[in-house]
Amino acid sequence: MAAILLCFLLAAAVLLVTSSPIHDSDNGTVPLVLWHGMGDSCCNPLSMGYIKKMIEQEIPGVYVLSVMIGKNIVEDTENGFFSDVNEQVSMVCNQLAQDPKLKGGYNAMGFSQGAQFLRAVAQRCPSPPMKNLISVGGQHQGVYGLPRCPGESSKICDMIREALNKEAYLGWFQKHLVQAQYWHDPLNDDLYKKYSRFLADINQERAVNETYKKNLQQLEKFVMVKFLQDSVVDPVDTEWFGFLKTGQAKETETLQESVLYKEDRLGLAAMDKAGKLVFLATEGDHLQFKEEWFKANLLPYLH
């Protein structure tokens, strides 16, 4: 089991880029908060550091905060694997609330798992207010598959899923293994709803928290980016808030086909009808996109 988990953790791709009031009173820009993905850190010069620098160059004077979970880059990277996600979200909420540059509001951009963590911030911590949330390859309905697993029909994939699922909902894993905290097993829906400490809560699986719903609907735009050749996230539909249909592990459903949407348990249907949901797709594997695409498609939501 340890070997399976190690493969799961090490297979994640690192972000690859190829070649403030809701307006800050000083220069008219909107502050930006970034949250990195698994295996990355706040300040990696090849990933988040590069993105931060690029945005600062494109939007002169903008304040960009790339959150660090821990006291240094090493801890930040480790906490992307082994930590309590709910505690991470609480820590970031406190950090944002204490930052005077964010008191008037901010935009947020999360990469991979950082996207669903920032959504939790939007739902749980409305002050300071989040304006736009941009999810770059986020897994909003969780994952139920291993990175680069050789096909949905492979028996070995099913065996690994079954083994991980048995461990993922145990207390230690739900408290300390980050990826287990957004593991979503469609074959054991009751188990997922009962024991998932993070994902089932923010997705209103056990009960409808009206505060979560109200807070999320305060967003002006919720932008979700899907990578069309993603070999890391399974199923890739989760990047657009879709997932596998309950009770099996082959057929998927869109957000609009889900109970979450039809019952509007999180306010996403209302947001969709109001034009607040934006679904973008790009060619490439997980978190791999061209700088030109980023500037043309995502920068407009940061102004």
Side-chain angles (χ1 to χ4, degrees):
M1 187 61 210
I4 292 173
L5 285 173
L6 183 61
C7 291
F8 178 60
L9 296 177
L10 296 181
V14 175
L15 173 66
L16 175 64
V17 181
T18 60
S19 254
S20 339
I22 287 296
H23 285 298
D24 181 81
S25 57
D26 293 328
N27 57 32
T29 61
V30 183
L32 174 65
V33 173
L34 304 175
W35 196 329
H36 63 80
M38 178 176 69
D40 203 356
S41 72
C42 66
C43 314
N44 185 331
L46 298 178
S47 55
M48 298 307 297
Y50 184 93
I51 290 291
K52 181 177 184 290
K53 182 178 180 181
M54 177 181 67
I55 292 171
E56 290 170 339
Q57 290 174 341
E58 292 296 317
I59 309 176
V62 69
Y63 173 61
V64 182
L65 172 65
S66 186
V67 298
M68 178 186 292
I69 308 300
K71 298 178 181 179
N72 52 55
I73 292 176
V74 173
E75 285 189 10
D76 189 23
T77 304
E78 290 176 346
N79 285 331
F81 295 114
F82 305 106
S83 183
D84 185 315
V85 174
N86 289 314
E87 290 181 1
Q88 288 191 34
V89 170
S90 179
M91 181 190 309
V92 170
C93 284
N94 290 333
Q95 181 181 359
L96 302 187
Q98 295 171 14
D99 191 331
K101 295 182 180 180
L102 302 177
K103 64 181 180 180
Y106 64 98
N107 290 320
M109 181 180 293
F111 295 83
S112 197
Q113 65 183 22
Q116 56 261 37
F117 300 166
L118 277 172
R119 175 164 64 84
V121 170
Q123 293 175 206
R124 295 174 177 175
C125 308
S127 181
M130 187 184 294
K131 178 183 178 183
N132 293 325
L133 172 58
I134 302 175
S135 167
V136 185
Q139 302 98 44
H140 293 282
Q141 278 284 14
V143 295
Y144 185 61
L146 299 180
R148 299 185 178 88
C149 200
E152 292 295 334
S153 62
S154 173
K155 292 183 179 181
I156 188 68
C157 289
D158 293 333
M159 292 172 61
I160 294 173
R161 286 191 185 101
E162 182 180 357
L164 180 57
N165 188 68
K166 287 180 180 178
E167 304 292 342
Y169 295 123
L170 294 182
W172 186 93
F173 286 87
Q174 279 296 305
K175 183 73 174 176
H176 299 290
L177 180 60
V178 169
Q179 290 68 42
Q181 293 167 67
Y182 56 86
W183 183 261
H184 186 170
D185 181 2
L187 300 179
N188 290 283
D189 194 54
D190 291 342
L191 195 64
Y192 156 67
K193 290 179 178 178
K194 183 176 181 179
Y195 293 110
S196 173
R197 297 182 66 249
F198 173 71
L199 187 67
D201 176 67
I202 66 167
N203 282 2
Q204 310 273 51
E205 298 284 13
R206 288 184 281 267
V208 174
N209 183 325
E210 293 295 340
T211 299
Y212 283 5
K213 187 174 180 179
K214 176 183 176 181
N215 289 343
L216 189 64
Q217 290 182 88
Q218 297 306 307
L219 289 174
E220 294 182 18
K221 295 290 183 182
F222 179 10
V223 182
M224 289 171 271
V225 178
K226 177 195 288 188
F227 292 89
L228 296 177
Q229 286 79 43
D230 202 317
S231 65
V232 173
V233 174
D234 187 13
V236 70
D237 306 72
T238 188
E239 295 178 354
W240 276 2
F241 233 121
F243 202 64
L244 295 160
K245 294 180 179 179
T246 301
Q248 50 84 59
K250 295 184 182 299
E251 295 183 27
T252 59
E253 64 183 9
T254 65
L255 166 64
Q256 290 77 8
E257 295 169 333
S258 69
V259 172
L260 178 69
Y261 186 94
K262 291 178 179 178
E263 295 183 356
D264 206 14
R265 298 175 67 84
L266 196 51
L268 292 170
M271 292 176 71
D272 197 13
K273 292 172 184 175
K276 291 187 174 185
L277 301 187
V278 180
F279 300 91
L280 300 179
T282 183
E283 301 292 335
D285 205 340
H286 192 57
L287 299 187
Q288 297 184 9
F289 51 85
K290 295 184 181 297
E291 184 173 327
E292 294 78 9
W293 183 91
F294 182 96
K295 291 178 180 179
N297 292 277
L298 300 186
L299 280 185
Y301 296 102
L302 301 182
H303 291 283

